[in-house]
């Protein structure tokens, strides 16, 4: 078992790479090699994409109800495999056991919902008549349907290697596309196990493939491959580089955020404090939708900070196997990056509400008060359990800070005045504003999108299905009638 190298998946089979090389998956808690996966070569990637192209042709003609049936089957199998997949998530990305199980169950529900939504959405088209446009008689009937794009490349991130993989796989498949998955290295084995569930469901050979390997070796090759017709990527800056190189194909990109939480003087501070702690510290802050900055009106800042600190004290810190709230962050380089942001804030005079503490990749939860905009942590995304607080004098100051960010994913506002909340929402240049709750992507059928460097396109089940299809029109040109129209 120790020397086992997990195989990659193509043409309905599990294969060993001819490269003879492997990639190590490091356990964030032990910082030792947990698993090894195949380091696929470019030739293997070529073959995978070729078989995906072939499989797509037959699949596009497979009745919609049959595609849905197989997805429902995969969802049931995924639920039955929740335990072993969750175990991998615990070991590969240090996700607490309970959250790991939730990720798998949420993914199965997403697959089922997607099958149902696809049947409804793709089962109908538009019908247009020509005389609604000036200068035309009723001589043309146009009907539209949605057709698949071809081969979709799915690249999910380490923090949801299962859920953010199926959120790309299921819409692609229901829409009649084939799918090539390149999982993150941390989370690759959980993703391979999830692919095994689709394998057991009996999808045609070549329709789904999963290639593993180093991004530096096969990443560009995959994302610029002429056989790829669409890329759905979730992750960091790499997405910007992919977008610049990808060519004329539809892109769905979700690239992180600096989600701000604006607290007004009339906010329910207990609700705000628990949302900040849940939103900022669940999965140790490693969520693109985590609260990454608190912008609080000065008059209530002391009270809010006190409440947040009381709640932070209750968080448990330790291994994911014990279901601790705060677990080791994913890699040593992530821990070092977080530490650098914290040290920059210390040097520039931020108030540390707790002592900064780190053991390996484990970082204790930390609230940084009196952060100013000359500190890196005011703008950069730590992706860890450290949260800056900026005290603001006015709503305008909060909105200005929020809109000056390169990111534009989500944000939230806490107030009892719904009219003010809506006006603030309109003023925030971000993809989603939550009123009186922390940012979140789910439920998974809600639209999910980022502005500016946070992304391209909109996700959520319905939007993803639409994005992975093209509209096709057929126009019936009517002849001049040979009989009297009455
Ligand atoms: O990390 C990015 C995820 O899309 C966040 O999803 O809000 O469901 O945790 P979540």
């Amino acid at each position: 078992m120790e020397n086992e190298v997990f195989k990659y998946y193509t043409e309905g089979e599990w294969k060993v790479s001819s490269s003879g090389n492997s990639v190590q998956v490091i356990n964030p808690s032990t910082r030792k090699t947990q698993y090894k996966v195949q380091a696929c070569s470019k030739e293997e990637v070529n073959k995978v994409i070729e078989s995906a192209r072939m499989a797509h042709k037959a699949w596009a003609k497979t009745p919609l109800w049959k595609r849905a049936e197989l997805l429902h089957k995969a969802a049931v199998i995924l639920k039955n495999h929740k335990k072993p997949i969750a175990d991998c998530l615990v070991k590969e990305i240090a996700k607490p056991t309970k959250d790991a199980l939730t990720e798998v169950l949420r993914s199965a529900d997403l697959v089922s919902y997607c099958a149902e939504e696809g049947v409804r959405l793709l089962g109908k088209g538009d019908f247009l008549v020509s005389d609604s446009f000036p200068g035309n008689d009723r001589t043309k009937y146009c009907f539209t349907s949605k057709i698949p794009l071809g081969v979709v490349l799915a690249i999910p991130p380490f923090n949801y290697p299962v859920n953010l993989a199926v959120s790309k796989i299921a819409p692609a498949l229901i829409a009649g596309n084939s799918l090539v998955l390149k999982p993150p290295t941390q989370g690759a084995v959980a993703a391979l196990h999830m692919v095994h569930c689709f394998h057991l469901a009996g999808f045609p050979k070549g329709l789904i493939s999963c290639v593993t390997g180093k991004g530096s070796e096969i990443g560009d090759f995959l994302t610029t491959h002429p056989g790829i017709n669409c890329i759905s990527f979730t992750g960091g800056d790499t997405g910007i580089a992919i977008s610049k190189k990808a060519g004329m194909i539809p892109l769905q990109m979700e690239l992180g955020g600096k989600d701000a939480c604006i607290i007004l003087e009339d906010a329910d501070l207990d609700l705000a404090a628990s949302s900040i702690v849940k939103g900022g510290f669940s999965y140790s802050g490693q969520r693109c939708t985590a609260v990454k900055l608190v912008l609080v009106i000065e008059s209530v800042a002391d009270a809010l900070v006190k409440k947040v600190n009381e709640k932070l004290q209750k968080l448990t810190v330790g291994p994911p196997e014990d279901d601790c709230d705060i677990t080791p962050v994913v890699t040593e380089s992530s821990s070092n990056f977080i530490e650098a942001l914290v040290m920059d804030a210390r040097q520039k005079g931020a108030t540390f509400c707790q002592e900064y503490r780190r053991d390996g990749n484990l970082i204790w939860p930390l609230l940084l008060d009196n952060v100013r905009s000359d500190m890196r942590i005011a703008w950069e995304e730590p992706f860890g359990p450290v949260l800056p607080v900026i005290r603001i004098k006015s709503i305008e100051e909060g909105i200005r800070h929020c809109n000056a960010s390169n990111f534009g994913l989500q944000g939230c506002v806490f107030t009892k005045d719904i009219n003010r909340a809506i006006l603030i929402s309109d003023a925030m240049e971000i993809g989603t504003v939550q009123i009186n709750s922390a940012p979140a992507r789910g439920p998974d059928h809600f639209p999910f999108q980022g502005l500016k460097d946070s992304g391209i396109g909109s996700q959520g089940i319905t939007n993803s299905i639409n994005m992975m299809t093209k509209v096709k029109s057929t126009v019936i040109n009517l002849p001049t009638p040979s009989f009297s129209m009455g």
Side-chain angles (χ1 to χ4, degrees):
M1 178 76 188
E2 206 165 85
N3 288 320
E4 181 184 4
V5 181
F6 284 88
K7 294 175 180 160
Y8 75 104
Y9 183 69
T10 181
E11 293 179 90
E13 287 172 24
W14 298 95
K15 294 193 181 168
V16 173
S17 169
S18 57
S19 74
N21 295 328
S22 63
V23 182
Q24 296 177 359
V25 180
I26 310 291
N27 182 320
S29 308
T30 62
R31 293 187 287 159
K32 297 212 168 88
T33 303
Q34 183 69 45
Y35 303 120
K36 287 181 195 156
V37 294
Q38 304 293 325
C40 291
S41 66
K42 290 181 181 159
E43 292 69 38
E44 282 155 347
V45 168
N46 263 337
K47 279 197 197 145
V48 162
I49 295 176
E50 185 48 34
S51 63
R53 291 194 70 75
M54 299 302 291
H56 153 67
K57 288 190 173 42
W59 181 245
K61 294 192 175 69
T62 302
L64 190 47
W65 66 265
K66 277 199 186 168
R67 292 185 224 154
E69 202 172 71
L70 281 174
L71 282 170
H72 281 301
K73 208 167 156 193
V76 172
I77 298 170
L78 204 46
K79 275 194 181 169
N80 291 338
H81 285 235
K82 65 176 187 297
K83 178 81 176 68
I85 298 177
D87 282 349
C88 295
L89 292 173
V90 169
K91 294 191 181 104
E92 288 183 277
I93 60 166
K95 189 165 267 198
T97 306
K98 197 148 97 344
D99 294 350
L101 286 166
T102 305
E103 175 170 347
V104 185
L105 292 174
R106 171 184 181 180
S107 303
D109 289 339
L110 189 159
V111 174
S112 295
Y113 186 101
C114 192
E116 285 173 29
E117 181 69 352
V119 166
R120 281 193 289 269
L121 192 71
L122 303 167
K124 64 183 182 203
D126 285 333
F127 175 69
L128 294 91
V129 289
S130 51
D131 64 344
S132 58
F133 196 87
N136 284 272
D137 294 324
R138 187 174 284 242
T139 53
K140 294 172 190 283
Y141 291 164
C142 171
F143 57 87
T144 68
S145 60
K146 290 195 175 106
I147 57 166
L149 300 174
V151 183
V152 174
L153 172 63
I155 310 183
F158 81 84
N159 62 346
Y160 286 94
V162 175
N163 182 262
L164 282 171
V166 301
S167 74
K168 304 171 192 313
I169 296 172
L173 295 184
I174 193 66
N177 300 289
S178 55
L179 190 288
V180 176
L181 174 68
K182 163 65 181 76
T185 297
Q186 302 293 137
V189 177
L192 286 166
H193 200 133
M194 173 272 296
V195 169
H196 179 58
C197 297
F198 282 80
H199 170 81
L200 294 176
F203 283 89
K205 288 187 172 146
L207 190 69
I208 307 169
S209 325
C210 183
V211 288
T212 51
K214 288 202 177 115
S216 55
E217 277 166 24
I218 55 167
D220 273 358
F221 190 71
L222 267 168
T223 54
T224 56
H225 198 288
I228 296 294
N229 306 107
C230 168
I231 302 174
S232 179
F233 173 93
T234 308
D237 290 353
T238 314
I240 296 179
I242 293 175
S243 309
K244 286 184 179 150
K245 293 187 211 155
M248 222 173 71
I249 55 171
L251 301 177
Q252 191 179 46
M253 296 273 153
E254 199 269 277
L255 314 180
K258 183 75 184 169
D259 296 9
C261 178
I262 300 182
I263 314 286
L264 303 195
E265 66 281 358
D266 68 340
D268 174 339
L269 294 184
D270 288 311
L271 175 67
S274 31
S275 302
I276 288 168
V277 172
K278 185 158 184 277
F281 294 88
S282 56
Y283 187 38
S284 307
Q286 298 174 107
R287 296 163 56 239
C288 53
T289 50
V291 171
K292 300 208 177 90
L293 175 65
V294 177
L295 296 163
V296 56
I297 293 282
E298 262 177 352
S299 58
V300 290
D302 282 344
L304 179 82
V305 166
K306 185 166 176 277
K307 284 179 193 289
V308 172
N309 280 332
E310 279 163 11
K311 290 184 194 298
L312 285 188
Q313 254 180 14
K314 296 192 185 126
L315 295 184
T316 53
V317 181
E321 289 82 358
D322 294 353
D323 232 354
C324 289
D325 300 310
I326 303 295
T327 55
V329 299
V330 68
T331 59
E332 195 169 338
S333 64
S334 306
S335 324
N336 293 342
F337 177 75
I338 297 163
E339 185 163 295
L341 292 184
V342 168
M343 292 310 146
D344 174 77
R346 165 173 285 166
Q347 198 219 324
K348 291 174 182 158
T351 308
F352 280 43
C353 298
Q354 294 78 23
E355 191 194 339
Y356 173 67
R357 204 171 151 202
R358 171 180 170 187
D359 178 7
N361 294 341
L362 189 60
I363 294 174
W364 270 251
L366 174 64
L367 193 71
L368 297 150
D369 196 1
N370 297 304
V371 164
R372 290 186 327 261
S373 25
D374 62 331
M375 299 175 187
R376 288 178 57 196
I377 203 159
W379 305 103
E380 295 180 44
E381 193 183 20
F383 236 65
V386 300
L387 179 62
V389 177
I390 296 184
R391 294 171 177 235
I392 51 172
K393 291 190 174 48
S394 65
I395 296 175
E396 290 78 3
E397 189 185 339
I399 293 171
R400 239 190 343 265
H401 188 99
C402 170
N403 291 351
S405 170
N406 288 343
F407 291 114
L409 189 61
Q410 291 209 2
C412 56
V413 53
F414 285 82
T415 172
K416 295 195 184 104
D417 182 340
I418 187 66
N419 293 326
R420 277 213 296 180
I422 290 170
L423 291 172
I424 291 169
S425 166
D426 283 351
M428 289 170 89
E429 292 165 3
I430 52 179
T432 303
V433 179
Q434 305 269 351
I435 296 174
N436 292 324
S437 186
R441 173 167 51 103
D444 289 340
H445 66 311
F446 278 13
F448 180 53
Q449 55 280 313
L451 309 185
K452 300 189 264 185
D453 285 354
S454 284
I456 301 176
S458 180
Q459 299 178 59
I461 290 170
T462 312
N463 286 341
S464 293
I465 296 173
N466 279 327
M467 183 263 175
M468 292 174 185
T469 56
K470 240 185 176 177
V471 173
K472 163 106 185 246
S473 306
T474 302
V475 180
I476 301 171
N477 288 277
L478 299 172
T480 311
S482 59
F483 52 88
S484 158
M485 297 294 277

